[in-house]
Every structure is written in C-alpha cells, then in structure tokens.
C-alpha cells in the first residue's frame, strides 16, 4: 500500500486532548508516517483552563525546517492547525514552498475561533495573516465562525443555504482550492459538512448531539486529513471524519469529569475499520 509522509504543524497542549496530542495518534492510526512540528508548548489548551503556561517555539521553526531541507526530507502533505503567531504563518508558507513533494497537499485548518468569537490568543492581525495561508491552501477546514472571520461576512447563528454558500464562495475566491466547512446545521436534529470546489457543492449530513465538546475541531480535522491522505475522496473523508467525531462525543457524554476534550482513543478502532 502507498505509504505517505505527512507533517502537521500545531501546538502541543500537554493536557487537554487537542492539537498535536490528537493529530499524531489519529494520523498514525490512518496509516500515515506522521512528522510533527510543534509551534508552542502549553501546559493545557486555553479554553476554560486558567493560568496555563506557554512557551513559544517560533524561533525553532525555521531552524528545524532548514535541517530537514539539508537532509532532503519532504512531505506528501502538510496540515496546519493552531499556530502561535503571525510570524509562524510566514514560516509555514516557506515550509509549504520548500518541503513539499510534487503533488503534495497543503491543508489548512484555520483554528482560531468558534461560536462567533476568536480564541483568546488571537486578534484582527492574526486573521489577516491566516487569510494569506488559506489563500494558498489546496484544502481548508474552517468552522462557520472561522469562515466568517476569513471572508469578512457577518457571523450568524441562524442561517440558510445561501448564507453558507456565500461563506464557501468567499473562501474559494480568497484562493483555497477546496473547502470543507464544518458544523453546518439546517435543522434541530442534524448537522453536517459542506464540501466545495469551484461551483460544485456537496453536503454530508449526520446526527447532531445535544452537547458540544472542546477539541472536536481538531479531532475532525485530523480524521479528515488522515482519511483523505489514506486515499479517500474529499467528500468520503469529510463523512468518515464526521461520523468518527460523533462517536467520540457519544463516548464522552455523561462523564462530567471529562469536560476539557473528547475520549477519542477508545473509538480509534472504528475509524481504522472504515479505512482498511
Ligand atoms: O484547536 C484548538 C486549540 C488548540 N490549541 C490551543 C487551544 C485551542 C482551543 O482553544 O487553546 C492552545
């Protein structure tokens, strides 16, 4: 079987089940050689935890990339998530240019916002820098809030198909070749993903659960990237990742002590089953 090497660039939140602690196991389970480039080390993620520690690793990024370039190390896909600063976005653009094998995919999860608001670490300058990264991506995986910030369209909690299409169209006009827009819900009991390229729109609908959990954006994006580079089409990978994320949330509902993330590990065999 085709054995692909992917690089994922995002932070390590040591505790909290998001970013690299989610991406590395999920991508590995999808059969990919997974290299990591940590953008920062935090004691926990930044949602609801207080007094977390942060060590910014920006200065290490170009040094690590230069070493890989010298060693002739390249990747079949590079997937970026939560990044620490606008400088890091420039470094990532350089890595996209220098360390990608021919035909490799640039996949950008513009992890910076949810529920209508930017995460605490980010501001308007960061949004502008993220627009540049999305513009050169082969595939971007925003939620509705992120899509609204990136396109400059007002965020809406209640919306219709025209609103969703305007977000996707804005992202394609920005330069993204394909868009996988998550959390698109048109009724009480279901939610889903809009997959779009050019004027081709496909909607994948799945069960909507009564709670939302931290870290599911990263679980979704990692499972999507894993399934996609494993060989599934964009639409198939979008659906596989959606169903996997639903299972992770179901596996967590009812455990009040587990408020900071989802218990995605025991459900990994279910993801593997649909891929192999
Ligand atoms: O992508 C979610 C995420 C990742 N990393 C850190 C975060 C968050 C969400 O808040 O705080 C550090």
């Amino acid at each position: 079987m085709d054995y692909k090497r992917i690089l994922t660039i995002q932070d390590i939140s040591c505790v909290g089940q998001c970013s690299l602690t989610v991406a590395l196991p999920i991508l590995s389970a999808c059969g990919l050689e997974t290299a990591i480039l940590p953008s920062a080390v935090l004691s926990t993620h930044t949602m609801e935890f207080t007094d977390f520690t942060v060590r910014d690793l920006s200065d290490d990024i170009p040094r690590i990339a230069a070493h890989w370039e010298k060693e002739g190390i390249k990747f079949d896909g590079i997937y970026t998530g939560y990044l620490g600063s606008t400088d890091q976005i420039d470094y990532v653009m350089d890595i996209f240019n220098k360390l990608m094998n021919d035909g490799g995919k640039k996949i950008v999860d513009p992890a910076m916002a949810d529920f209508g608001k930017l995460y605490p670490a980010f501001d308007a300058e960061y949004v502008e820098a993220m627009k540049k990264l999305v513009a050169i991506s082969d595939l971007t995986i925003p939620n509705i809030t992120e899509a609204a910030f990136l396109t400059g369209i007002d965020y809406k909690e209640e919306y219709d198909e025209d609103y969703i299409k305007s977000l996707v169209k804005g992202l394609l006009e920005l330069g993204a070749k394909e868009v996988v827009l998550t959390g698109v819900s048109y009724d009480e009991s279901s939610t889903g993903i809009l997959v779009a390229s050019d004027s081709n729109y496909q909607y994948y609908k799945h069960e909507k659960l009564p709670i939302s959990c931290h870290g599911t954006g990263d679980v979704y994006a990692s499972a999507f990237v894993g399934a996609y580079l494993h060989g599934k089409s964009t639409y198939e990978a979008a659906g596989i990742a959606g169903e996997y994320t639903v299972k992770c949330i179901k596996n967590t509902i009812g455990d009040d002590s587990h408020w900071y993330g989802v218990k995605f590990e025991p459900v990994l065999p279910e993801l593997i089953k649909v891929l192999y």
Side-chain angles (χ1 to χ4, degrees), residues 11 13 18-19 42 45-47 82 111 119 218:
D11 73 281
S13 291
C18 69
S19 45
L42 294 90
H45 63 61
T46 64
M47 305 299 288
Y82 188 104
Y119 294 148
D218 295 341

Side-chain angles (χ1 to χ4, degrees), residues 6-7 75-79 96 100-108 137-139 177-178 228-229:
I6 182 165
L7 168 65
F75 302 97
D76 303 308
I78 300 178
Y79 149 44
F96 277 170
M100 191 77 90
N101 279 326
D102 287 346
K105 296 288 177 190
K106 301 180 233 120
I107 305 176
V108 175
S137 67
D138 292 302
L139 236 156
K177 294 198 184 60
E178 282 189 277
Y228 178 72
L229 284 190

Side-chain angles (χ1 to χ4, degrees), residues 28 45 57 103 110 125 127 144 208 214:
S28 298
H45 63 61
L57 298 180
E125 194 198 342
V127 174
I144 292 177
K208 183 176 185 174
H214 295 307

Side-chain angles (χ1 to χ4, degrees), residues 5-261:
R5 179 192 285 148
I6 182 165
L7 168 65
T8 180
I9 311 175
Q10 39 191 314
D11 73 281
I12 296 184
S13 291
C14 299
V15 169
Q17 287 174 311
C18 69
S19 45
L20 278 182
T21 63
V22 164
L24 178 57
I26 292 180
L27 294 167
S28 298
C30 294
L32 307 169
E33 177 187 345
T34 307
I36 60 166
L37 185 40
S39 56
V41 179
L42 294 90
S43 50
T44 63
H45 63 61
T46 64
M47 305 299 288
E48 292 187 63
F49 286 108
T50 52
D51 300 330
F52 45 83
T53 69
V54 185
R55 182 168 299 273
D56 181 275
L57 298 180
S58 298
D59 292 348
D60 292 87
I61 294 177
R63 296 179 60 230
I64 291 170
H67 180 216
W68 288 342
E69 198 180 357
K70 188 163 154 272
E71 294 288 340
I73 295 167
K74 290 199 170 191
F75 302 97
D76 303 308
I78 300 178
Y79 149 44
T80 67
Y82 188 104
L83 299 169
S85 64
T86 53
D87 284 351
Q88 291 191 355
I89 292 180
D90 290 334
Y91 294 145
V92 167
M93 291 172 78
D94 198 42
I95 290 173
F96 277 170
N97 288 331
K98 291 188 176 148
L99 299 181
M100 191 77 90
N101 279 326
D102 287 346
K105 296 288 177 190
K106 301 180 233 120
I107 305 176
V108 175
D109 175 358
M112 61 180 180
D114 211 351
F115 304 109
K117 284 197 189 131
L118 287 175
Y119 294 148
F122 301 128
D123 57 16
E125 194 198 342
Y126 187 83
V127 174
E128 285 309 307
M130 185 55 80
K131 279 187 195 174
K132 290 194 295 176
L133 198 59
V134 169
I136 59 162
S137 67
D138 292 302
L139 236 156
T140 187
I141 320 168
N143 59 36
I144 292 177
T145 305
E146 289 156 349
F149 275 108
L150 289 165
T151 56
I153 295 171
D154 283 345
Y155 170 76
K156 284 190 189 171
E157 259 167 43
E158 284 176 24
Y159 48 77
D160 56 16
E161 277 184 46
D162 285 345
Y163 173 73
I164 294 299
K165 282 194 175 164
S166 69
L167 291 177
V168 168
K169 197 162 162 274
L171 292 164
L172 293 169
E173 278 170 6
L174 202 56
K177 294 198 184 60
E178 282 189 277
V179 176
V180 174
L181 182 65
T182 62
V184 178
S185 171
Y186 297 118
D187 60 55
E188 291 285 299
S189 62
S190 73
T191 183
I193 306 114
L194 194 79
V195 177
S197 60
D198 301 326
S199 51
N200 180 16
Y201 296 85
Q202 280 177 292
Y203 182 60
Y204 184 91
K205 186 159 128 171
H206 63 77
E207 186 180 356
K208 183 176 185 174
L209 296 167
I211 62 161
S212 63
C213 301
H214 295 307
T216 47
D218 295 341
V219 168
Y220 179 86
S222 302
F224 168 79
V225 173
Y228 178 72
L229 284 190
H230 185 91
K232 300 291 178 189
S233 71
T234 309
Y235 182 73
E236 284 170 331
I240 288 169
E243 299 299 347
Y244 175 64
T245 308
V246 167
K247 285 179 186 150
C248 293
I249 299 172
K250 282 188 174 167
N251 192 44
T252 311
I253 286 178
D255 182 350
D256 293 341
S257 69
H258 208 94
W259 56 269
Y260 50 84

Side-chain angles (χ1 to χ4, degrees), residues 252-275:
T252 311
I253 286 178
D255 182 350
D256 293 341
S257 69
H258 208 94
W259 56 269
Y260 50 84
V262 286
K263 299 190 221 170
F264 68 95
E265 305 87 346
V267 204
L268 276 173
E270 308 260 345
L271 176 62
I272 293 168
K273 217 165 25 186
V274 295
L275 291 182

